[in-house]
Amino acid sequence: MNAANNASSKYRLWPIFVMPVLVVIAAAAWSAFWFYAASQVDQTVDAWRAREAASGRIYDCAKRTVAGFPFRLEVRCEDATVELRSQTAEQAAAQMPPLTARLGDILVIAQIYTPRLLIAEFKAPATLSRHGQPVMVVDWRVGRSSIVGLPDTPKSADIVFDDLAIDRMVESVRTPAARAAHVELHGRTAEKSTLDKPMIETAVELSGATLSDIHPVLTQPFNAEVGAIVHGLKDFTPKPWPVRFRELQAAGGRIEIRQSRIQQGDLIAIAAGSLGLTADGHLDGELHMTATGFEKMIPALGIDKMLEQGVPQETLDKVAPGVKSKDIDNLFGALDRAIPGLGRAVRENANVGVAAGLAAIGQEATLENKKARSFPLRFVAGAVFIGPLKVAQTPPLF
């Protein structure tokens, strides 16, 4: 009887021992899966680095570690450096030596169940140097990016910065070049993209941005949103952007601006259209723009100051062919000598005339319940024109 009871007790106790064994087996299996996934993520990071290197961006780490067990994978790159080769038209054309960006750490994160999605976080600041001499410092509060699709052709890529600050270094003195409270850059394979006709859909968002080196009007904070599709790409193989833009021009490709919106105080402008590239890499095409506060654009673009300081001959050639700048300056000087202050008054009246002339361009419109004006914004070999008046010059893309 006692023997039977003992046998029954042992039978009832076996589930108690089975469960810990199953837990141990499951933990061992999960650990094996994690280490396998970690090796796959490591390969994916290497594939990303290889693509970046082919695009002229060479990443290196003083030390690389893999952690994150048990539910995610973290690849940390300590004392990271990025060597930038042929990333701009100027750098490629002049065969300038590469820029080297040195930053703190880069942390690449992947969930164990989605190893093809990489999320990266960048530690500020980044110091860009050439020949060992710092030329630019980039700082930010938050810097992160994501990329989907590796190790094959990426399906999408995004990068976000908060409190971005870019300073130029001149003889060890930092000079502000750009600021932005928030920056977003997005790129993905367009919905109608095919292997023989690849297309990229891009989007840019800036909040509280200022740019010191582009145009005086951009030195005041503005917000901008731009969405575009790039047509005419040869393929998605990694290469520097000047090379890709050169191929785009050779194929007759276009940059389709599907929507854009810029706001600076009371000034609001939207635009859409299509831009191509000239043989020397300059933008060429036309956008249809609608803008509010049109009368405020004259001082914002600096046309009033241009009139006060003298009209450049280049501008007169566009606005009034055959008229010489020195003739106008002589006229204003003669008026001042005859009646002090008269020349200045005429210049101010001329400014009003220019405003009226520009206001006559295009058609009346309404934008966001405000009175506005619609007009063409032309790009001619990189020069930007509102009607006949040149307001800006864009750099070549290759």
PDB file of all heavy atoms in Angstrom, residues 235-269:
ATOM      1  N   ASP A 235      19.409  54.121 -61.659  1.00  0.00           N
ATOM      2  CA  ASP A 235      19.239  52.954 -60.794  1.00  0.00           C
ATOM      3  C   ASP A 235      19.355  53.411 -59.351  1.00  0.00           C
ATOM      4  O   ASP A 235      19.490  54.601 -59.065  1.00  0.00           O
ATOM      5  CB  ASP A 235      20.290  51.874 -61.106  1.00  0.00           C
ATOM      6  CG  ASP A 235      21.709  52.434 -61.121  1.00  0.00           C
ATOM      7  OD1 ASP A 235      22.060  53.197 -60.200  1.00  0.00           O
ATOM      8  OD2 ASP A 235      22.457  52.132 -62.068  1.00  0.00           O
ATOM      9  N   PHE A 236      19.292  52.446 -58.443  1.00  0.00           N
ATOM     10  CA  PHE A 236      19.402  52.739 -57.018  1.00  0.00           C
ATOM     11  C   PHE A 236      20.748  52.317 -56.439  1.00  0.00           C
ATOM     12  O   PHE A 236      20.910  52.248 -55.221  1.00  0.00           O
ATOM     13  CB  PHE A 236      18.280  52.032 -56.239  1.00  0.00           C
ATOM     14  CG  PHE A 236      16.949  52.725 -56.347  1.00  0.00           C
ATOM     15  CD1 PHE A 236      15.773  51.988 -56.370  1.00  0.00           C
ATOM     16  CD2 PHE A 236      16.876  54.097 -56.420  1.00  0.00           C
ATOM     17  CE1 PHE A 236      14.545  52.613 -56.461  1.00  0.00           C
ATOM     18  CE2 PHE A 236      15.646  54.738 -56.521  1.00  0.00           C
ATOM     19  CZ  PHE A 236      14.478  53.994 -56.533  1.00  0.00           C
ATOM     20  N   THR A 237      21.709  52.019 -57.297  1.00  0.00           N
ATOM     21  CA  THR A 237      23.015  51.651 -56.782  1.00  0.00           C
ATOM     22  C   THR A 237      23.627  52.838 -56.044  1.00  0.00           C
ATOM     23  O   THR A 237      23.430  53.987 -56.437  1.00  0.00           O
ATOM     24  CB  THR A 237      23.953  51.202 -57.909  1.00  0.00           C
ATOM     25  OG1 THR A 237      24.068  52.260 -58.879  1.00  0.00           O
ATOM     26  CG2 THR A 237      23.430  49.952 -58.584  1.00  0.00           C
ATOM     27  N   PRO A 238      24.367  52.594 -54.966  1.00  0.00           N
ATOM     28  CA  PRO A 238      24.937  53.699 -54.187  1.00  0.00           C
ATOM     29  C   PRO A 238      25.986  54.466 -54.974  1.00  0.00           C
ATOM     30  O   PRO A 238      26.835  53.873 -55.640  1.00  0.00           O
ATOM     31  CB  PRO A 238      25.546  52.990 -52.974  1.00  0.00           C
ATOM     32  CG  PRO A 238      25.794  51.589 -53.418  1.00  0.00           C
ATOM     33  CD  PRO A 238      24.701  51.272 -54.396  1.00  0.00           C
ATOM     34  N   LYS A 239      25.927  55.789 -54.905  1.00  0.00           N
ATOM     35  CA  LYS A 239      26.891  56.664 -55.577  1.00  0.00           C
ATOM     36  C   LYS A 239      26.750  58.060 -55.000  1.00  0.00           C
ATOM     37  O   LYS A 239      25.696  58.407 -54.441  1.00  0.00           O
ATOM     38  CB  LYS A 239      26.660  56.674 -57.088  1.00  0.00           C
ATOM     39  CG  LYS A 239      25.305  57.201 -57.513  1.00  0.00           C
ATOM     40  CD  LYS A 239      25.000  56.905 -58.973  1.00  0.00           C
ATOM     41  CE  LYS A 239      24.782  55.439 -59.217  1.00  0.00           C
ATOM     42  NZ  LYS A 239      24.330  55.149 -60.599  1.00  0.00           N
ATOM     43  N   PRO A 240      27.777  58.909 -55.095  1.00  0.00           N
ATOM     44  CA  PRO A 240      27.659  60.289 -54.605  1.00  0.00           C
ATOM     45  C   PRO A 240      26.565  61.045 -55.348  1.00  0.00           C
ATOM     46  O   PRO A 240      26.295  60.788 -56.536  1.00  0.00           O
ATOM     47  CB  PRO A 240      29.047  60.880 -54.890  1.00  0.00           C
ATOM     48  CG  PRO A 240      29.957  59.703 -54.959  1.00  0.00           C
ATOM     49  CD  PRO A 240      29.139  58.592 -55.559  1.00  0.00           C
ATOM     50  N   TRP A 241      25.949  62.014 -54.673  1.00  0.00           N
ATOM     51  CA  TRP A 241      24.838  62.749 -55.278  1.00  0.00           C
ATOM     52  C   TRP A 241      25.237  63.527 -56.532  1.00  0.00           C
ATOM     53  O   TRP A 241      24.453  63.577 -57.491  1.00  0.00           O
ATOM     54  CB  TRP A 241      24.202  63.676 -54.244  1.00  0.00           C
ATOM     55  CG  TRP A 241      23.181  62.961 -53.409  1.00  0.00           C
ATOM     56  CD1 TRP A 241      23.296  62.586 -52.107  1.00  0.00           C
ATOM     57  CD2 TRP A 241      21.895  62.512 -53.834  1.00  0.00           C
ATOM     58  NE1 TRP A 241      22.168  61.930 -51.691  1.00  0.00           N
ATOM     59  CE2 TRP A 241      21.281  61.878 -52.726  1.00  0.00           C
ATOM     60  CE3 TRP A 241      21.193  62.577 -55.029  1.00  0.00           C
ATOM     61  CZ2 TRP A 241      20.013  61.315 -52.789  1.00  0.00           C
ATOM     62  CZ3 TRP A 241      19.916  62.022 -55.098  1.00  0.00           C
ATOM     63  CH2 TRP A 241      19.345  61.407 -53.986  1.00  0.00           C
ATOM     64  N   PRO A 242      26.422  64.145 -56.632  1.00  0.00           N
ATOM     65  CA  PRO A 242      26.766  64.803 -57.895  1.00  0.00           C
ATOM     66  C   PRO A 242      26.769  63.845 -59.080  1.00  0.00           C
ATOM     67  O   PRO A 242      26.347  64.210 -60.185  1.00  0.00           O
ATOM     68  CB  PRO A 242      28.176  65.362 -57.619  1.00  0.00           C
ATOM     69  CG  PRO A 242      28.191  65.603 -56.142  1.00  0.00           C
ATOM     70  CD  PRO A 242      27.406  64.465 -55.567  1.00  0.00           C
ATOM     71  N   VAL A 243      27.198  62.608 -58.857  1.00  0.00           N
ATOM     72  CA  VAL A 243      27.179  61.604 -59.925  1.00  0.00           C
ATOM     73  C   VAL A 243      25.744  61.265 -60.296  1.00  0.00           C
ATOM     74  O   VAL A 243      25.386  61.162 -61.476  1.00  0.00           O
ATOM     75  CB  VAL A 243      27.940  60.344 -59.491  1.00  0.00           C
ATOM     76  CG1 VAL A 243      27.822  59.239 -60.547  1.00  0.00           C
ATOM     77  CG2 VAL A 243      29.406  60.662 -59.230  1.00  0.00           C
ATOM     78  N   ARG A 244      24.900  61.102 -59.293  1.00  0.00           N
ATOM     79  CA  ARG A 244      23.496  60.764 -59.566  1.00  0.00           C
ATOM     80  C   ARG A 244      22.785  61.897 -60.302  1.00  0.00           C
ATOM     81  O   ARG A 244      22.001  61.658 -61.232  1.00  0.00           O
ATOM     82  CB  ARG A 244      22.779  60.461 -58.242  1.00  0.00           C
ATOM     83  CG  ARG A 244      21.466  59.727 -58.414  1.00  0.00           C
ATOM     84  CD  ARG A 244      20.829  59.397 -57.074  1.00  0.00           C
ATOM     85  NE  ARG A 244      21.622  58.492 -56.262  1.00  0.00           N
ATOM     86  CZ  ARG A 244      21.651  57.180 -56.436  1.00  0.00           C
ATOM     87  NH1 ARG A 244      20.954  56.616 -57.415  1.00  0.00           N
ATOM     88  NH2 ARG A 244      22.383  56.428 -55.632  1.00  0.00           N
ATOM     89  N   PHE A 245      23.065  63.151 -59.912  1.00  0.00           N
ATOM     90  CA  PHE A 245      22.439  64.280 -60.605  1.00  0.00           C
ATOM     91  C   PHE A 245      22.941  64.403 -62.042  1.00  0.00           C
ATOM     92  O   PHE A 245      22.180  64.786 -62.945  1.00  0.00           O
ATOM     93  CB  PHE A 245      22.700  65.576 -59.841  1.00  0.00           C
ATOM     94  CG  PHE A 245      21.820  65.767 -58.642  1.00  0.00           C
ATOM     95  CD1 PHE A 245      22.363  66.026 -57.389  1.00  0.00           C
ATOM     96  CD2 PHE A 245      20.435  65.682 -58.748  1.00  0.00           C
ATOM     97  CE1 PHE A 245      21.555  66.201 -56.277  1.00  0.00           C
ATOM     98  CE2 PHE A 245      19.616  65.852 -57.648  1.00  0.00           C
ATOM     99  CZ  PHE A 245      20.181  66.115 -56.403  1.00  0.00           C
ATOM    100  N   ARG A 246      24.200  64.079 -62.282  1.00  0.00           N
ATOM    101  CA  ARG A 246      24.728  64.119 -63.657  1.00  0.00           C
ATOM    102  C   ARG A 246      24.009  63.079 -64.529  1.00  0.00           C
ATOM    103  O   ARG A 246      23.665  63.346 -65.678  1.00  0.00           O
ATOM    104  CB  ARG A 246      26.233  63.868 -63.651  1.00  0.00           C
ATOM    105  CG  ARG A 246      26.894  64.129 -64.996  1.00  0.00           C
ATOM    106  CD  ARG A 246      28.381  63.835 -64.918  1.00  0.00           C
ATOM    107  NE  ARG A 246      29.051  64.722 -63.977  1.00  0.00           N
ATOM    108  CZ  ARG A 246      29.478  65.937 -64.291  1.00  0.00           C
ATOM    109  NH1 ARG A 246      29.286  66.408 -65.512  1.00  0.00           N
ATOM    110  NH2 ARG A 246      30.090  66.678 -63.380  1.00  0.00           N
ATOM    111  N   GLU A 247      23.800  61.893 -63.988  1.00  0.00           N
ATOM    112  CA  GLU A 247      23.057  60.859 -64.709  1.00  0.00           C
ATOM    113  C   GLU A 247      21.617  61.308 -64.953  1.00  0.00           C
ATOM    114  O   GLU A 247      21.038  61.043 -66.013  1.00  0.00           O
ATOM    115  CB  GLU A 247      23.073  59.559 -63.922  1.00  0.00           C
ATOM    116  CG  GLU A 247      24.446  58.900 -63.820  1.00  0.00           C
ATOM    117  CD  GLU A 247      24.403  57.624 -63.004  1.00  0.00           C
ATOM    118  OE1 GLU A 247      23.363  57.349 -62.370  1.00  0.00           O
ATOM    119  OE2 GLU A 247      25.426  56.913 -62.991  1.00  0.00           O
ATOM    120  N   LEU A 248      21.051  61.979 -63.959  1.00  0.00           N
ATOM    121  CA  LEU A 248      19.678  62.476 -64.090  1.00  0.00           C
ATOM    122  C   LEU A 248      19.573  63.464 -65.246  1.00  0.00           C
ATOM    123  O   LEU A 248      18.638  63.400 -66.061  1.00  0.00           O
ATOM    124  CB  LEU A 248      19.256  63.137 -62.780  1.00  0.00           C
ATOM    125  CG  LEU A 248      17.823  63.652 -62.687  1.00  0.00           C
ATOM    126  CD1 LEU A 248      16.866  62.501 -62.516  1.00  0.00           C
ATOM    127  CD2 LEU A 248      17.678  64.614 -61.507  1.00  0.00           C
ATOM    128  N   GLN A 249      20.530  64.375 -65.343  1.00  0.00           N
ATOM    129  CA  GLN A 249      20.518  65.363 -66.423  1.00  0.00           C
ATOM    130  C   GLN A 249      20.686  64.695 -67.779  1.00  0.00           C
ATOM    131  O   GLN A 249      19.994  65.032 -68.753  1.00  0.00           O
ATOM    132  CB  GLN A 249      21.628  66.395 -66.186  1.00  0.00           C
ATOM    133  CG  GLN A 249      21.551  67.627 -67.087  1.00  0.00           C
ATOM    134  CD  GLN A 249      22.183  67.396 -68.449  1.00  0.00           C
ATOM    135  OE1 GLN A 249      23.101  66.571 -68.579  1.00  0.00           O
ATOM    136  NE2 GLN A 249      21.707  68.109 -69.456  1.00  0.00           N
ATOM    137  N   ALA A 250      21.590  63.708 -67.869  1.00  0.00           N
ATOM    138  CA  ALA A 250      21.833  63.022 -69.139  1.00  0.00           C
ATOM    139  C   ALA A 250      20.600  62.265 -69.611  1.00  0.00           C
ATOM    140  O   ALA A 250      20.371  62.122 -70.829  1.00  0.00           O
ATOM    141  CB  ALA A 250      23.018  62.068 -68.991  1.00  0.00           C
ATOM    142  N   ALA A 251      19.787  61.797 -68.665  1.00  0.00           N
ATOM    143  CA  ALA A 251      18.577  61.051 -69.018  1.00  0.00           C
ATOM    144  C   ALA A 251      17.369  61.949 -69.214  1.00  0.00           C
ATOM    145  O   ALA A 251      16.263  61.454 -69.471  1.00  0.00           O
ATOM    146  CB  ALA A 251      18.284  60.017 -67.928  1.00  0.00           C
ATOM    147  N   GLY A 252      17.551  63.271 -69.092  1.00  0.00           N
ATOM    148  CA  GLY A 252      16.417  64.182 -69.223  1.00  0.00           C
ATOM    149  C   GLY A 252      15.469  64.108 -68.047  1.00  0.00           C
ATOM    150  O   GLY A 252      14.267  64.376 -68.196  1.00  0.00           O
ATOM    151  N   GLY A 253      15.987  63.759 -66.887  1.00  0.00           N
ATOM    152  CA  GLY A 253      15.139  63.621 -65.709  1.00  0.00           C
ATOM    153  C   GLY A 253      14.661  64.956 -65.174  1.00  0.00           C
ATOM    154  O   GLY A 253      15.175  66.026 -65.529  1.00  0.00           O
ATOM    155  N   ARG A 254      13.679  64.893 -64.288  1.00  0.00           N
ATOM    156  CA  ARG A 254      13.085  66.100 -63.720  1.00  0.00           C
ATOM    157  C   ARG A 254      12.908  65.933 -62.211  1.00  0.00           C
ATOM    158  O   ARG A 254      12.804  64.829 -61.688  1.00  0.00           O
ATOM    159  CB  ARG A 254      11.696  66.376 -64.328  1.00  0.00           C
ATOM    160  CG  ARG A 254      11.627  66.395 -65.826  1.00  0.00           C
ATOM    161  CD  ARG A 254      12.271  67.619 -66.420  1.00  0.00           C
ATOM    162  NE  ARG A 254      11.518  68.840 -66.123  1.00  0.00           N
ATOM    163  CZ  ARG A 254      11.908  70.042 -66.487  1.00  0.00           C
ATOM    164  NH1 ARG A 254      13.054  70.204 -67.147  1.00  0.00           N
ATOM    165  NH2 ARG A 254      11.191  71.107 -66.191  1.00  0.00           N
ATOM    166  N   ILE A 255      12.882  67.069 -61.542  1.00  0.00           N
ATOM    167  CA  ILE A 255      12.536  67.105 -60.122  1.00  0.00           C
ATOM    168  C   ILE A 255      11.154  67.738 -60.029  1.00  0.00           C
ATOM    169  O   ILE A 255      10.991  68.936 -60.257  1.00  0.00           O
ATOM    170  CB  ILE A 255      13.563  67.907 -59.306  1.00  0.00           C
ATOM    171  CG1 ILE A 255      14.963  67.316 -59.488  1.00  0.00           C
ATOM    172  CG2 ILE A 255      13.177  67.919 -57.828  1.00  0.00           C
ATOM    173  CD1 ILE A 255      16.056  68.155 -58.869  1.00  0.00           C
ATOM    174  N   GLU A 256      10.168  66.930 -59.742  1.00  0.00           N
ATOM    175  CA  GLU A 256       8.782  67.398 -59.674  1.00  0.00           C
ATOM    176  C   GLU A 256       8.472  67.885 -58.260  1.00  0.00           C
ATOM    177  O   GLU A 256       8.417  67.087 -57.327  1.00  0.00           O
ATOM    178  CB  GLU A 256       7.828  66.277 -60.074  1.00  0.00           C
ATOM    179  CG  GLU A 256       6.361  66.668 -60.012  1.00  0.00           C
ATOM    180  CD  GLU A 256       5.422  65.492 -60.205  1.00  0.00           C
ATOM    181  OE1 GLU A 256       5.924  64.368 -60.455  1.00  0.00           O
ATOM    182  OE2 GLU A 256       4.204  65.686 -60.058  1.00  0.00           O
ATOM    183  N   ILE A 257       8.308  69.197 -58.125  1.00  0.00           N
ATOM    184  CA  ILE A 257       7.923  69.764 -56.822  1.00  0.00           C
ATOM    185  C   ILE A 257       6.405  69.626 -56.719  1.00  0.00           C
ATOM    186  O   ILE A 257       5.646  70.406 -57.313  1.00  0.00           O
ATOM    187  CB  ILE A 257       8.341  71.244 -56.696  1.00  0.00           C
ATOM    188  CG1 ILE A 257       9.832  71.411 -57.041  1.00  0.00           C
ATOM    189  CG2 ILE A 257       8.050  71.753 -55.289  1.00  0.00           C
ATOM    190  CD1 ILE A 257      10.766  70.695 -56.130  1.00  0.00           C
ATOM    191  N   ARG A 258       5.957  68.658 -55.977  1.00  0.00           N
ATOM    192  CA  ARG A 258       4.517  68.396 -55.902  1.00  0.00           C
ATOM    193  C   ARG A 258       3.818  69.405 -54.995  1.00  0.00           C
ATOM    194  O   ARG A 258       2.688  69.806 -55.257  1.00  0.00           O
ATOM    195  CB  ARG A 258       4.276  66.978 -55.386  1.00  0.00           C
ATOM    196  CG  ARG A 258       4.987  65.901 -56.195  1.00  0.00           C
ATOM    197  CD  ARG A 258       4.549  64.514 -55.824  1.00  0.00           C
ATOM    198  NE  ARG A 258       3.203  64.260 -56.297  1.00  0.00           N
ATOM    199  CZ  ARG A 258       2.562  63.098 -56.121  1.00  0.00           C
ATOM    200  NH1 ARG A 258       3.150  62.124 -55.458  1.00  0.00           N
ATOM    201  NH2 ARG A 258       1.342  62.921 -56.569  1.00  0.00           N
ATOM    202  N   GLN A 259       4.486  69.796 -53.930  1.00  0.00           N
ATOM    203  CA  GLN A 259       3.917  70.803 -53.034  1.00  0.00           C
ATOM    204  C   GLN A 259       5.027  71.417 -52.202  1.00  0.00           C
ATOM    205  O   GLN A 259       6.012  70.758 -51.875  1.00  0.00           O
ATOM    206  CB  GLN A 259       2.865  70.179 -52.111  1.00  0.00           C
ATOM    207  CG  GLN A 259       3.423  69.061 -51.237  1.00  0.00           C
ATOM    208  CD  GLN A 259       2.371  68.437 -50.348  1.00  0.00           C
ATOM    209  OE1 GLN A 259       1.193  68.711 -50.480  1.00  0.00           O
ATOM    210  NE2 GLN A 259       2.793  67.603 -49.420  1.00  0.00           N
ATOM    211  N   SER A 260       4.876  72.678 -51.901  1.00  0.00           N
ATOM    212  CA  SER A 260       5.819  73.353 -51.021  1.00  0.00           C
ATOM    213  C   SER A 260       5.105  74.517 -50.358  1.00  0.00           C
ATOM    214  O   SER A 260       4.226  75.145 -50.955  1.00  0.00           O
ATOM    215  CB  SER A 260       7.053  73.851 -51.793  1.00  0.00           C
ATOM    216  OG  SER A 260       6.684  74.827 -52.742  1.00  0.00           O
ATOM    217  N   ARG A 261       5.494  74.780 -49.132  1.00  0.00           N
ATOM    218  CA  ARG A 261       4.906  75.878 -48.391  1.00  0.00           C
ATOM    219  C   ARG A 261       5.980  76.498 -47.510  1.00  0.00           C
ATOM    220  O   ARG A 261       6.695  75.793 -46.790  1.00  0.00           O
ATOM    221  CB  ARG A 261       3.736  75.417 -47.515  1.00  0.00           C
ATOM    222  CG  ARG A 261       3.034  76.540 -46.741  1.00  0.00           C
ATOM    223  CD  ARG A 261       1.961  75.980 -45.814  1.00  0.00           C
ATOM    224  NE  ARG A 261       1.184  77.039 -45.166  1.00  0.00           N
ATOM    225  CZ  ARG A 261       1.567  77.688 -44.069  1.00  0.00           C
ATOM    226  NH1 ARG A 261       2.727  77.388 -43.484  1.00  0.00           N
ATOM    227  NH2 ARG A 261       0.787  78.619 -43.546  1.00  0.00           N
ATOM    228  N   ILE A 262       6.105  77.812 -47.577  1.00  0.00           N
ATOM    229  CA  ILE A 262       7.063  78.550 -46.768  1.00  0.00           C
ATOM    230  C   ILE A 262       6.326  79.681 -46.066  1.00  0.00           C
ATOM    231  O   ILE A 262       5.531  80.389 -46.695  1.00  0.00           O
ATOM    232  CB  ILE A 262       8.209  79.121 -47.625  1.00  0.00           C
ATOM    233  CG1 ILE A 262       8.967  77.990 -48.321  1.00  0.00           C
ATOM    234  CG2 ILE A 262       9.166  79.950 -46.774  1.00  0.00           C
ATOM    235  CD1 ILE A 262      10.055  78.480 -49.254  1.00  0.00           C
ATOM    236  N   GLN A 263       6.579  79.827 -44.778  1.00  0.00           N
ATOM    237  CA  GLN A 263       5.953  80.911 -44.013  1.00  0.00           C
ATOM    238  C   GLN A 263       7.008  81.614 -43.191  1.00  0.00           C
ATOM    239  O   GLN A 263       7.823  80.996 -42.514  1.00  0.00           O
ATOM    240  CB  GLN A 263       4.843  80.396 -43.101  1.00  0.00           C
ATOM    241  CG  GLN A 263       4.171  81.513 -42.292  1.00  0.00           C
ATOM    242  CD  GLN A 263       2.924  81.043 -41.568  1.00  0.00           C
ATOM    243  OE1 GLN A 263       2.570  79.870 -41.605  1.00  0.00           O
ATOM    244  NE2 GLN A 263       2.246  81.967 -40.896  1.00  0.00           N
ATOM    245  N   GLN A 264       6.984  82.938 -43.270  1.00  0.00           N
ATOM    246  CA  GLN A 264       7.874  83.787 -42.480  1.00  0.00           C
ATOM    247  C   GLN A 264       7.046  84.967 -41.998  1.00  0.00           C
ATOM    248  O   GLN A 264       6.782  85.900 -42.747  1.00  0.00           O
ATOM    249  CB  GLN A 264       9.062  84.252 -43.313  1.00  0.00           C
ATOM    250  CG  GLN A 264      10.117  85.019 -42.524  1.00  0.00           C
ATOM    251  CD  GLN A 264      11.237  85.485 -43.422  1.00  0.00           C
ATOM    252  OE1 GLN A 264      11.007  86.308 -44.315  1.00  0.00           O
ATOM    253  NE2 GLN A 264      12.438  84.968 -43.208  1.00  0.00           N
ATOM    254  N   GLY A 265       6.628  84.898 -40.735  1.00  0.00           N
ATOM    255  CA  GLY A 265       5.735  85.936 -40.236  1.00  0.00           C
ATOM    256  C   GLY A 265       4.419  85.930 -40.992  1.00  0.00           C
ATOM    257  O   GLY A 265       3.742  84.905 -41.093  1.00  0.00           O
ATOM    258  N   ASP A 266       4.052  87.112 -41.565  1.00  0.00           N
ATOM    259  CA  ASP A 266       2.808  87.215 -42.329  1.00  0.00           C
ATOM    260  C   ASP A 266       2.969  86.757 -43.768  1.00  0.00           C
ATOM    261  O   ASP A 266       1.969  86.616 -44.486  1.00  0.00           O
ATOM    262  CB  ASP A 266       2.312  88.671 -42.320  1.00  0.00           C
ATOM    263  CG  ASP A 266       1.920  89.123 -40.915  1.00  0.00           C
ATOM    264  OD1 ASP A 266       1.539  88.248 -40.111  1.00  0.00           O
ATOM    265  OD2 ASP A 266       2.005  90.336 -40.639  1.00  0.00           O
ATOM    266  N   LEU A 267       4.191  86.539 -44.208  1.00  0.00           N
ATOM    267  CA  LEU A 267       4.431  86.108 -45.578  1.00  0.00           C
ATOM    268  C   LEU A 267       4.223  84.604 -45.686  1.00  0.00           C
ATOM    269  O   LEU A 267       4.838  83.827 -44.962  1.00  0.00           O
ATOM    270  CB  LEU A 267       5.852  86.463 -46.019  1.00  0.00           C
ATOM    271  CG  LEU A 267       6.205  87.947 -46.083  1.00  0.00           C
ATOM    272  CD1 LEU A 267       7.682  88.099 -46.435  1.00  0.00           C
ATOM    273  CD2 LEU A 267       5.349  88.652 -47.120  1.00  0.00           C
ATOM    274  N   ILE A 268       3.356  84.199 -46.606  1.00  0.00           N
ATOM    275  CA  ILE A 268       3.095  82.784 -46.863  1.00  0.00           C
ATOM    276  C   ILE A 268       3.191  82.554 -48.364  1.00  0.00           C
ATOM    277  O   ILE A 268       2.630  83.326 -49.152  1.00  0.00           O
ATOM    278  CB  ILE A 268       1.709  82.349 -46.358  1.00  0.00           C
ATOM    279  CG1 ILE A 268       1.570  82.612 -44.853  1.00  0.00           C
ATOM    280  CG2 ILE A 268       1.469  80.875 -46.652  1.00  0.00           C
ATOM    281  CD1 ILE A 268       0.184  82.328 -44.317  1.00  0.00           C
ATOM    282  N   ALA A 269       3.884  81.510 -48.769  1.00  0.00           N
ATOM    283  CA  ALA A 269       4.007  81.198 -50.187  1.00  0.00           C
ATOM    284  C   ALA A 269       3.915  79.693 -50.391  1.00  0.00           C
ATOM    285  O   ALA A 269       4.472  78.915 -49.609  1.00  0.00           O
ATOM    286  CB  ALA A 269       5.333  81.721 -50.753  1.00  0.00           C
TER     287      ALA A 269
END
